[in-house]
Amino acid sequence: MTTVTIAILCGLLAVVYGIVTSQQVLRASPGNERMQDIAAAIQEGAKAYLGRQYTTIAIVGVIVAVILFATLGTLSTVGFLIGAILSGVAGYVGMNISVRANVRTAEAARTSLQGGLTMAFRSGAVTGMLVAGLGLLAIAGFFWYLTGPAGYAPNARAIVEALTALAFGASLISIFARLGGGIFTKAADVGADLVGKVEAGIPEDDPRNPAVIADNVGDNVGDCAGMAADLFETYVVTLGVTMISIALLIQASPGELMNLMSLPLIVGGVCIVTSIIGTYMVRLGSKGSIMGALYKGFWTSALLAIPAIYVATQMTLGDLNAPIGAAGFLDAPSDGVASGLGDLAATDVTGAPSADAFTGMDLFWCMLIGLAVTGLIVWITEYYTGTNYRPVKSIAKASETGHGTNVIQGLAISLEATALPTLVIVVAVVATYKLAGVIGIAFAATAMLALAGMVVALDAYGPVTDNAGGIAEMAGLDDEVRHKTDALDAVGNTTKAVTKGYAIGSAGLAALVLFGAYTTDLQTYFPDIQVDFSLSNPYVIVGLLLGALLPYLFGAFGMTAVGRAAGAVVEEVRDQFRNNPGIMQGTSRPNYGRTVDLVTRAAIKEMIIPSLLPVLSPIALYFIVTAVDGQASGFAALGAMLLGVIVSGLFVALSMTSGGGAWDNAKKYIEDGNHGGKGSDAHKAAVTGDTVGDPYKDTAGPAVNPMIKITNIVALLLLAALAGGAG
Amino acid sequence: MTTVTIAILCGLLAVVYGIVTSQQVLRASPGNERMQDIAAAIQEGAKAYLGRQYTTIAIVGVIVAVILFATLGTLSTVGFLIGAILSGVAGYVGMNISVRANVRTAEAARTSLQGGLTMAFRSGAVTGMLVAGLGLLAIAGFFWYLTGPAGYAPNARAIVEALTALAFGASLISIFARLGGGIFTKAADVGADLVGKVEAGIPEDDPRNPAVIADNVGDNVGDCAGMAADLFETYVVTLGVTMISIALLIQASPGELMNLMSLPLIVGGVCIVTSIIGTYMVRLGSKGSIMGALYKGFWTSALLAIPAIYVATQMTLGDLNAPIGAAGFLDAPSDGVASGLGDLAATDVTGAPSADAFTGMDLFWCMLIGLAVTGLIVWITEYYTGTNYRPVKSIAKASETGHGTNVIQGLAISLEATALPTLVIVVAVVATYKLAGVIGIAFAATAMLALAGMVVALDAYGPVTDNAGGIAEMAGLDDEVRHKTDALDAVGNTTKAVTKGYAIGSAGLAALVLFGAYTTDLQTYFPDIQVDFSLSNPYVIVGLLLGALLPYLFGAFGMTAVGRAAGAVVEEVRDQFRNNPGIMQGTSRPNYGRTVDLVTRAAIKEMIIPSLLPVLSPIALYFIVTAVDGQASGFAALGAMLLGVIVSGLFVALSMTSGGGAWDNAKKYIEDGNHGGKGSDAHKAAVTGDTVGDPYKDTAGPAVNPMIKITNIVALLLLAALAGGAG
């Protein structure tokens, strides 16, 4: 049995886990009739939204597929479709279990906290394992077909292009899903809060609020389906670009290449197994700490991953101390000036890719560093968004002096929160690069993503508990139930922030790898064009500046869209209150469907232009600069844009997601009775901060991650298309 | 008479203008006794603060001077001291006239709007002309001494180092002054608003508020003295780096070099003359538009600058169509791959600087582009911060649905406002580079800064009118007077935003020039070390990421400092109200001095650590990376940090300054009677937005500009120090 086959089996195992666990969830009691009614309304709304979203994306997808077919041929088109369809499936199935687990979590929480936790976490684990499993199946299965039945050499251009197209499919879906879902969820949330809590003076999740179902639908289509598509994309792109880099950079025999290219797949595979084991460790301890229970699962997966990765690496590569590839093809470590990828700069006109010598053991160390980065990002994110530490407490304290100081302190924290993750990423880049060059960085990113199943499980658990709380409120269950779901939900704020930091952190690591793939591709396709990527080339500055602009412009679009759509929700709800006074008296039922429909239309409309920004910008930049100053300048500007978008996107995304999480938990900290508690002036100020943080952390911030990837992948595809494609 | 002598005379003319105009201002009536009392309190507070600030800076300055003397010798130390002292003088004198013009403006506004406008603008013009005049005198005088009595060749290393040290002196003062003044003004402003308007329910500038004098002091030490030091720095660094680049990049006879290096000086000189003419055009037209009156002055200066620069260029260079420098020394335009500075990349081991051929006419076009950039930035800034356009109106509209949506929309606008200036800068970089390489970019930046006298005049006018309004309020003058000063003040919001956009825009242009100076210096000092500045070098990525982090961390410090100091003001004022109930009844006078003293101590304490961040970061990065992977990597990371700080700093600064201006004017727009007017819920939300925007636009955002420069200049000095210094 080959390594790739084992990886495929691990992917299938994840899918089986998903099916079995789904059955367990579905077998649980869905509660009383009222609860089921509410859940049905949420299901219906979520289904309707996703149906419309996927229809719209399908139109864009078909257009893109036709362009790909015309420029790059059949294989790339097939790759694109696999990536796109499986990304959609991961989101759709995740949403489907989530909208069924919510009501069952509420029901289970009637009995015990552990019961609610188990139900919500199982649902999250289904989504998590499907993301990792389908991601692995997509890439391993396609690679198996290409190198097996289709008969390509592992480093054939066709494989590189097809894998790139697969990543593109996943990315394209994910940017639409992340942004559309993000606009939906926050427009509904902000709109419902403004008109309900602030204007009408009714509590959150009050059934009299016509936007309440839309708010709960949003949790599922944004925080569950959108997030799942995003992480599916991150998984596929990271593993894919690692394989592509190996194909492009390492010169070795086909057998050795095959082994090395299978390594990311088997690492992903064994970590699915450790993640599944981890899911069974999520249990409340004697102290009843929910975060502690979730951490038990996470740390089990992460610690078991260390020996698992070691064994997988040794089985795949054999002697871990032998240099990778045939010795003759590898440069000895160079003079320390520009080692590794530096040797591949376009001034190297020999066209022969090369890399410093490294061993399997070096790769293992790089993967350990990747796991360490994941652990550190979890820790840093908890520090910045947890209620026990200085940042959140400082925002809560600043709320005492009003709305303004709350927002000022929140912005200060959001700016500050970028520092430690950046330092971690920088140290990891240097350390892994010194161990094994660009390939080392790629494997660190791969190891990070290998834990995606567990990380997504922790994240997808959040919206289920959020929904469960809403259902408990609307169905008039005991306050005790709501207390339990609130406790479960508070932890969800931190785990949600963790996933975003993790995804963007891995993007920071992958940036250099993607850029390496770009320069190597360039050299292969256009050996005669010398591209100067030096910082003293003004077109490099131009590319860096315009790349850095993209996350800002994208963020502006996302924030404006939420503000506009939330305003529309406010108008709609005011209208229902005005025309049907029975709603507020509780004698007649509001028209939930009309609000869901309104938010659906708004989100779909608003997601299109910003999603196309990262697709079209690199293409436009290349053609404009080439027209002004030739192809070499065009390629230089385009390459620099790829780094500009990560250099600025990393900070925009980290600051928005951490800041938003901190604002949210500062509000919760006050609601726990600090600084005057619920209803105090400090609480009102904290509600403002939370509202500001909502589109920051759930719309604009997280969508920056797929935006960065898509810019990079479009650039790679553009190169292939300009060169005529391989098939 | 040489060109340099004429430039010196123009600088003296500016100083004479300053003295004469000061006399005119001081001859005007300072109003009644009550007004003079209040003005005296403001004067005293401002003097006390600046005295303390400069004492603190002097301690840092002496330490730095000793280090410079030990590493780079006498000339550099003298240059540093000239830059530092004159920067301090520009700020101090500007503040001094400002705190005398405020009361006279209030008095003049009793008679007519034109009277108030004239008085306030004259005071601003004194500051403006002193900034440009002293800046020009510093650099031209020092250059005259070095090339004349001291007998150095114009491109001697000693001159390059001495000019760099001069720029460093100006930058070091300016970052302390900008940040310290920024913290002072906004801590007092936010604190006074929170405890006065919000808690005690008394209007702005009410004499019963113990923080009211501190608030007015802040306008002078932050918006006047701090801004003046900042623009002095920008002026000196821009002209200085243009001269340094010529010395480093152009190989020509000493006479030709002397001419070319004098050109930035004479351009600065003639634009002082056109700016002085412009100041006399500031008069209200028949429509009574204040902005129109100020624009008349600005456009007169800018349009007259075109022929003035043309004549100056022709007189200095002679035949405008002859190639610059002796033909033999200049490369023909290269193959379009990496022209100009690209040829200077460290891989060029010949060590011979070179540049593409360009003519005097090319330089003239580059300067025209610089003027055009200035005009476009003025226009874009007015669009984003003026009350007549979509951005401000959209924030005002969003205020209707609450504090949260106001802040969300403001943040969206702040993100969006970075796009057009970036595009303008990018187009200017490409166009000027194609005309005359890096030297072309440098001359575009020089032409931008040549108008500094006029731009600073427009900006420094603002705090005078703001103070005049405060004095009118406190002295109980007619409401009519306050209406006039309010009208004058509203325009000041836009002119303040313009200056910041202008300063950061010029920094964007100068970035490549500074980086060019760095690479050329590197090549000269360390010809044996090959530094790889390619984007595929991981240390370049590390430098870019850490450079990009600096503005975020710096912004976090600035925002936190304002929040903390404003909180202290709130406590202090509450304490005074509690212990002396007579204050609120109007029977006893609050202790203004104690609040001023508190804010002074807080601002001084808070400014030190963040100001040292850009000084120490490049040094730390160089030594750490060198220890890890050798000097070549250290130099690569350091170089990349210089660009990272501009790539991210440009966006942070533009978004903060534009966003803050837009929030402020959205509040004013509502106060003008829109969306419910003063006292409405929309107005309350807009006040929150304004409070958030305060530290954005007046503390963190503007201080990013000197921060970028100082990082770059420290790197240049570090290179010189590592190489042992030239004298």
Side-chain angles (χ1 to χ4, degrees):
Chain A
M1 198 154 58
T2 69
T3 314
V4 178
T5 324
I6 302 175
I8 292 177
L9 289 177
C10 291
L12 287 173
L13 176 69
V15 174
V16 170
Y17 173 92
I19 294 169
V20 171
T21 311
S22 295
Q23 300 301 329
Q24 289 179 337
V25 169
L26 293 175
R27 266 199 304 274
S29 159
N32 62 35
E33 205 178 327
R34 174 95 188 96
M35 289 162 74
Q36 292 187 43
D37 267 8
I38 297 162
I42 298 173
Q43 282 162 31
E44 196 188 320
K47 245 191 175 150
Y49 173 74
L50 277 200
R52 205 117 125 203
Q53 177 183 283
Y54 284 137
T55 311
T56 309
I57 301 178
I59 297 169
V60 179
V62 168
I63 297 171
V64 172
V66 169
I67 296 173
L68 280 180
F69 185 75
T71 52
L72 292 174
T74 316
L75 273 183
S76 292
T77 312
V78 172
F80 170 78
L81 291 175
I82 294 175
I85 291 169
L86 285 186
S87 167
V89 169
Y92 200 84
V93 176
M95 178 279 286
N96 243 314
I97 186 72
S98 179
V99 292
R100 283 167 177 77
N102 51 10
V103 65
R104 290 166 171 86
T105 300
E107 177 67 16
R110 293 171 88 164
T111 329
S112 70
L113 184 64
Q114 175 70 59
L117 172 64
T118 304
M119 193 57 62
F121 181 73
R122 273 191 191 155
S123 160
V126 171
T127 306
M129 291 312 147
L130 278 182
V131 164
L134 291 179
L136 189 59
L137 277 179
I139 199 156
F142 198 40
F143 185 64
W144 169 83
Y145 168 77
L146 293 169
T147 52
Y152 287 103
N155 61 349
R157 294 300 318 167
I159 290 197
V160 170
E161 282 174 17
L163 289 179
T164 310
L166 176 78
F168 181 54
S171 288
L172 191 69
I173 301 307
S174 92
I175 192 161
F176 281 106
R178 229 341 168 178
L179 196 64
I183 294 171
F184 188 112
T185 179
K186 289 305 126 175
D189 188 0
V190 172
D193 280 3
L194 286 173
V195 78
K197 278 200 236 175
V198 182
E199 278 188 26
I202 52 179
E204 199 168 330
D205 292 321
D206 190 292
R208 288 172 294 176
N209 190 336
V212 72
I213 295 290
D215 185 10
N216 281 282
V217 168
D219 295 338
N220 294 292
V221 301
D223 300 347
C224 182
M227 180 276 296
D230 180 5
L231 270 287
F232 179 88
E233 177 264 0
T234 307
Y235 191 92
V236 169
V237 170
T238 307
L239 266 66
V241 78
T242 303
M243 294 170 72
I244 291 169
S245 299
I246 295 166
L248 292 171
L249 294 176
I250 305 287
Q251 291 225 337
S253 70
E256 285 172 313
L257 264 184
M258 191 68 200
N259 284 342
L260 203 53
M261 288 176 78
S262 312
L263 185 56
L265 301 174
I266 188 69
V267 167
V270 296
C271 287
I272 284 181
V273 178
T274 73
S275 295
I276 290 178
I277 298 172
T279 61
Y280 292 104
M281 307 305 290
V282 175
R283 269 199 209 95
L284 290 175
S286 54
K287 285 188 203 150
S289 155
I290 301 166
M291 199 67 188
L294 295 175
Y295 274 173
K296 262 187 259 171
F298 173 76
W299 289 115
T300 305
S301 311
L303 292 176
L304 285 180
I306 298 173
I309 289 177
Y310 184 85
V311 171
T313 309
Q314 194 171 40
M315 283 181 56
T316 308
L317 299 183
D319 179 6
L320 287 186
N321 293 312
I324 302 284
F329 289 101
L330 290 163
D331 291 334
S334 65
D335 51 6
V337 174
S339 54
L341 187 62
D343 296 338
L344 289 168
T347 45
D348 176 0
V349 288
T350 65
S354 61
D356 284 355
F358 57 83
T359 66
M361 201 60 204
D362 290 333
L363 291 185
F364 173 68
W365 284 116
C366 290
M367 289 189 270
L368 270 197
I369 291 172
L371 294 177
V373 169
T374 306
L376 285 169
I377 284 183
V378 169
W379 181 78
I380 295 167
T381 309
E382 204 194 332
Y383 174 73
Y384 275 102
T385 62
T387 47
N388 295 326
Y389 305 98
R390 174 190 58 85
V392 168
K393 284 185 180 169
S394 74
I395 297 176
K397 171 106 183 59
S399 311
E400 284 188 352
T401 37
H403 302 264
T405 40
N406 167 290
V407 177
I408 289 175
Q409 187 58 26
L411 287 173
I413 293 297
S414 77
L415 293 169
E416 186 196 310
T418 59
L420 289 179
T422 305
L423 290 178
V424 168
I425 289 165
V426 159
V427 170
V429 163
V430 170
T432 52
Y433 185 81
K434 281 190 80 78
L435 281 165
V438 159
I439 302 294
I441 304 177
F443 271 97
T446 291
M448 280 187 80
L449 262 296
L451 291 179
M454 185 38 120
V455 174
V456 171
L458 297 179
D459 187 326
Y461 138 100
V464 176
T465 62
D466 198 346
N467 256 239
I471 293 172
E473 187 83 30
M474 285 185 272
L477 299 187
D478 258 14
D479 276 359
E480 193 46 43
V481 179
R482 176 77 197 214
H483 284 158
K484 284 182 203 146
T485 60
D486 270 359
L488 293 169
D489 186 27
V491 172
N493 269 329
T494 296
T495 59
K496 270 168 67 180
V498 162
T499 315
K500 291 161 197 160
Y502 162 84
I504 191 75
S506 74
L509 276 183
L512 199 64
V513 186
L514 283 159
F515 183 75
Y518 175 80
T519 52
T520 318
D521 251 11
L522 196 56
Q523 210 179 325
T524 319
Y525 285 130
F526 302 94
D528 300 334
I529 298 185
Q530 288 193 28
V531 179
D532 173 23
F533 284 115
S534 165
L535 294 175
S536 43
N537 179 355
Y539 293 104
V540 168
I541 305 299
V542 164
L544 282 173
L545 286 175
L546 292 179
L549 173 60
L550 290 182
Y552 277 81
L553 210 48
F554 187 76
F557 282 133
M559 301 282 284
T560 310
V562 169
R564 194 156 40 202
V569 170
V570 171
E571 304 287 337
E572 154 71 20
V573 172
R574 281 181 186 160
D575 193 57
Q576 290 206 26
F577 281 154
R578 214 173 14 240
N579 294 326
N580 187 352
I583 295 177
M584 272 304 276
Q585 291 149 21
T587 52
S588 64
R589 212 178 131 151
N591 190 339
Y592 300 124
R594 222 173 77 187
T595 320
V596 171
D597 197 55
L598 174 117
V599 185
T600 299
R601 272 180 289 119
I604 300 284
K605 201 181 85 186
E606 300 273 5
M607 81 179 177
I608 296 177
I609 303 283
S611 296
L612 291 178
L613 185 71
V615 178
L616 300 179
S617 298
I619 300 174
L621 177 70
Y622 166 77
F623 282 108
I624 291 173
V625 174
T626 299
V628 169
D629 208 31
Q631 219 173 3
S633 298
F635 285 137
L638 179 56
M641 176 180 256
L642 308 186
L643 283 174
V645 73
I646 180 85
V647 165
S648 126
L650 183 71
F651 293 96
V652 170
L654 283 173
S655 67
M656 286 183 169
T657 55
S658 298
W663 262 313
D664 198 340
N665 274 341
K667 186 192 68 173
K668 287 216 179 345
Y669 180 73
I670 291 178
E671 286 172 353
D672 288 346
N674 301 292
H675 304 289
K678 237 171 177 165
S680 65
D681 281 348
H683 183 240
K684 281 182 197 134
V687 168
T688 293
D690 179 36
T691 310
V692 173
D694 268 344
Y696 239 48
K697 74 178 197 304
D698 289 324
T699 311
V704 167
N705 175 38
M707 203 209 79
I708 291 170
K709 309 298 187 18
I710 217 163
T711 313
N712 278 271
I713 293 170
V714 166
L716 291 178
L717 288 175
L718 180 63
L719 287 187
L722 289 171
Chain B
M1 198 154 54
T2 68
T3 315
V4 178
T5 324
I6 301 175
I8 292 177
L9 289 178
C10 292
L12 287 173
L13 175 68
V15 175
V16 169
Y17 173 91
I19 295 168
V20 170
T21 311
S22 296
Q23 300 300 329
Q24 289 178 337
V25 170
L26 293 176
R27 264 198 306 273
S29 159
N32 63 35
E33 206 177 327
R34 174 93 188 96
M35 289 163 74
Q36 292 187 43
D37 267 9
I38 297 163
I42 298 173
Q43 281 163 32
E44 197 189 321
K47 245 191 174 148
Y49 173 73
L50 276 201
R52 206 119 125 201
Q53 177 182 285
Y54 283 137
T55 311
T56 311
I57 301 179
I59 297 169
V60 179
V62 167
I63 297 171
V64 172
V66 169
I67 297 172
L68 280 180
F69 185 75
T71 51
L72 293 175
T74 317
L75 273 184
S76 292
T77 314
V78 171
F80 170 78
L81 291 175
I82 294 175
I85 291 170
L86 286 186
S87 167
V89 168
Y92 200 85
V93 176
M95 178 280 287
N96 242 314
I97 187 71
S98 178
V99 292
R100 283 168 177 76
N102 52 8
V103 64
R104 291 168 172 83
T105 300
E107 177 65 17
R110 292 172 88 164
T111 328
S112 70
L113 184 65
Q114 175 70 59
L117 171 64
T118 304
M119 193 57 62
F121 181 74
R122 273 189 190 158
S123 162
V126 171
T127 307
M129 291 311 148
L130 279 180
V131 164
L134 291 178
L136 189 59
L137 278 179
I139 199 156
F142 198 40
F143 185 64
W144 170 83
Y145 168 78
L146 292 168
T147 53
Y152 287 101
N155 61 349
R157 294 300 318 168
I159 290 196
V160 170
E161 283 174 16
L163 289 179
T164 311
L166 175 77
F168 181 54
S171 288
L172 191 70
I173 300 308
S174 91
I175 192 162
F176 280 107
R178 228 343 168 179
L179 196 64
I183 295 171
F184 188 113
T185 180
K186 289 304 126 174
D189 188 0
V190 172
D193 280 2
L194 286 173
V195 77
K197 277 199 237 176
V198 182
E199 278 187 27
I202 52 179
E204 197 167 333
D205 292 321
D206 190 294
R208 289 171 294 175
N209 190 336
V212 72
I213 295 291
D215 184 10
N216 281 282
V217 168
D219 295 338
N220 293 292
V221 302
D223 300 346
C224 182
M227 180 275 297
D230 179 5
L231 270 287
F232 179 88
E233 178 263 0
T234 307
Y235 192 91
V236 168
V237 170
T238 307
L239 266 67
V241 78
T242 304
M243 295 170 73
I244 290 169
S245 300
I246 295 166
L248 292 171
L249 294 176
I250 306 286
Q251 289 223 340
S253 70
E256 286 172 313
L257 265 183
M258 191 67 199
N259 284 343
L260 203 53
M261 287 176 78
S262 312
L263 185 54
L265 300 174
I266 189 68
V267 167
V270 296
C271 287
I272 283 180
V273 178
T274 71
S275 295
I276 289 177
I277 298 172
T279 62
Y280 292 105
M281 307 305 288
V282 175
R283 270 199 209 95
L284 290 176
S286 53
K287 285 187 205 150
S289 155
I290 301 166
M291 200 66 187
L294 295 175
Y295 273 174
K296 261 188 260 171
F298 172 77
W299 288 115
T300 304
S301 310
L303 293 176
L304 286 181
I306 298 173
I309 289 177
Y310 184 84
V311 172
T313 309
Q314 193 170 40
M315 283 181 56
T316 309
L317 299 183
D319 180 4
L320 287 186
N321 293 314
I324 302 286
F329 289 100
L330 291 163
D331 291 334
S334 65
D335 51 5
V337 174
S339 55
L341 187 63
D343 296 339
L344 290 167
T347 46
D348 177 0
V349 288
T350 64
S354 62
D356 283 354
F358 57 83
T359 66
M361 202 59 205
D362 290 333
L363 291 185
F364 173 68
W365 285 116
C366 290
M367 289 189 270
L368 271 197
I369 291 173
L371 295 176
V373 169
T374 306
L376 285 169
I377 285 184
V378 169
W379 181 79
I380 295 167
T381 310
E382 205 194 332
Y383 175 73
Y384 275 102
T385 62
T387 47
N388 296 327
Y389 306 98
R390 174 189 59 85
V392 168
K393 284 185 181 169
S394 74
I395 298 176
K397 172 107 182 59
S399 311
E400 284 188 352
T401 37
H403 302 264
T405 40
N406 166 290
V407 177
I408 289 175
Q409 186 58 25
L411 287 172
I413 293 298
S414 77
L415 294 169
E416 185 195 311
T418 59
L420 288 179
T422 305
L423 290 178
V424 168
I425 290 166
V426 159
V427 170
V429 163
V430 170
T432 52
Y433 185 82
K434 282 191 78 79
L435 282 166
V438 159
I439 301 294
I441 304 177
F443 271 97
T446 290
M448 279 187 81
L449 262 296
L451 292 180
M454 185 39 117
V455 175
V456 172
L458 297 179
D459 186 327
Y461 138 101
V464 175
T465 61
D466 198 347
N467 256 239
I471 292 171
E473 187 84 30
M474 286 185 272
L477 299 187
D478 258 13
D479 276 0
E480 193 47 42
V481 179
R482 176 77 199 215
H483 284 159
K484 283 183 203 144
T485 59
D486 270 358
L488 293 169
D489 187 26
V491 173
N493 269 329
T494 296
T495 60
K496 271 168 67 180
V498 163
T499 315
K500 291 161 197 161
Y502 162 83
I504 191 75
S506 74
L509 275 184
L512 199 64
V513 185
L514 283 159
F515 183 76
Y518 174 80
T519 51
T520 318
D521 251 12
L522 195 57
Q523 209 180 326
T524 318
Y525 285 129
F526 302 94
D528 301 335
I529 298 185
Q530 287 194 28
V531 180
D532 173 22
F533 285 115
S534 165
L535 294 175
S536 43
N537 178 356
Y539 293 103
V540 167
I541 305 298
V542 165
L544 283 174
L545 286 175
L546 292 179
L549 173 60
L550 289 182
Y552 278 81
L553 209 48
F554 187 78
F557 282 134
M559 300 282 285
T560 310
V562 169
R564 194 155 42 203
V569 170
V570 171
E571 304 287 336
E572 155 71 19
V573 171
R574 282 181 186 160
D575 193 60
Q576 289 206 26
F577 281 154
R578 214 172 17 240
N579 294 325
N580 188 352
I583 295 177
M584 272 304 277
Q585 292 150 19
T587 53
S588 65
R589 209 177 133 152
N591 191 339
Y592 300 124
R594 225 173 75 187
T595 320
V596 172
D597 197 56
L598 174 118
V599 185
T600 299
R601 274 179 287 120
I604 300 284
K605 200 181 85 186
E606 300 273 7
M607 81 178 176
I608 297 177
I609 302 282
S611 296
L612 291 177
L613 184 72
V615 178
L616 299 179
S617 298
I619 301 174
L621 177 70
Y622 166 76
F623 283 107
I624 292 172
V625 174
T626 299
V628 170
D629 208 32
Q631 217 171 7
S633 298
F635 286 137
L638 178 56
M641 176 179 256
L642 308 186
L643 283 174
V645 72
I646 181 84
V647 165
S648 121
L650 182 71
F651 293 95
V652 170
L654 283 172
S655 67
M656 285 182 168
T657 56
S658 298
W663 264 313
D664 197 340
N665 274 341
K667 186 192 68 173
K668 288 216 179 344
Y669 180 73
I670 290 179
E671 286 172 353
D672 288 347
N674 301 293
H675 303 290
K678 236 171 178 164
S680 65
D681 281 347
H683 183 241
K684 281 182 197 135
V687 168
T688 294
D690 179 37
T691 309
V692 172
D694 269 344
Y696 240 48
K697 74 179 197 301
D698 289 324
T699 312
V704 167
N705 175 38
M707 203 209 78
I708 292 171
K709 309 297 188 19
I710 217 162
T711 314
N712 278 272
I713 293 169
V714 167
L716 290 178
L717 288 175
L718 179 63
L719 287 187
L722 289 171

